[in-house]
Amino acid sequence: MKTLTDHLAQYAAYHRDPRNLLSHFIGIPMIVLAVAILLSRPGAELLGFWLSPAVLAAALAILFYLRLDLRYAVLMALVLALCVWVGAGLAQRPTAVWLGAGLGLFGVGWAIQFVGHYFEGRKPAFVDDLSGLIIGPLFVAAELGFMLGLREPLRQAIEARVGPVRPRPLGPTAQR
């Protein structure tokens, strides 16, 4: 089984350009929220809670994150709970509102991701390993923490494997 460092380092290898990281700080939250919105139908209210496939998907993701790291799992549980809450609210609105919000966020989020990968000069991580789809949100949380000076040993372990974040030159002479 891969460790937290293994997963984050594998994902980080595809994300070393700061412009790509910035795109992920915007695009990944949009995509996570979009998925929560889209999975919030069908659903039903039970004891004041909206139960839907989004709740199940969030619970499974949290279990995966718990296997990797308790602190990140708690953070991701809070983020996912907020997304599921927003999704539940939109799921109870007219179909055009629910679907427009979900598909709009999903499309724009992925467009932003692909712009970032243009700067990276590399395809998205999930193309080679589907686990990148669940690691992406965790990676964004970890990178934000690193920027705040948190989890320095983890940042150092990741950089020891894949190198530091650095801009990639653009143009015909740019190589990686």
Side-chain angles (χ1 to χ4, degrees), residues 104-123:
L105 284 167
F106 193 81
V108 172
W110 276 111
I112 291 169
Q113 296 294 92
F114 284 110
V115 168
H117 279 282
Y118 164 77
F119 289 112
E120 186 74 39
R122 194 156 184 202
K123 62 189 169 192

Side-chain angles (χ1 to χ4, degrees), residues 10-78:
Q10 179 179 342
Y11 194 88
Y14 292 77
H15 304 88
R16 304 320 295 152
D17 187 287
R19 296 162 293 191
N20 192 21
L21 286 177
L22 177 61
S23 76
H24 283 59
F25 283 126
I26 300 165
I28 286 181
M30 291 175 75
I31 294 166
V32 170
L33 180 56
V35 169
I37 291 167
L38 294 170
L39 290 179
S40 289
R41 279 193 182 183
E45 191 170 328
L46 180 66
L47 301 174
F49 293 101
W50 186 258
L51 298 180
S52 67
V55 174
L56 177 61
L60 292 173
I62 293 164
L63 288 174
F64 175 78
Y65 296 139
L66 271 171
R67 188 186 71 75
L68 295 177
D69 186 88
L70 177 62
R71 290 177 283 177
Y72 282 131
V74 169
L75 174 62
M76 295 308 297
L78 293 171

Side-chain angles (χ1 to χ4, degrees), residues 24 33 35 43 62 73 78 93-94 97 107 134 144 150 156 165 170:
H24 283 59
L33 180 56
V35 169
I62 293 164
L78 293 171
R93 304 285 312 267
V97 172
I134 195 166
L144 181 59
L150 303 172
Q156 290 174 353
V165 173
L170 299 177

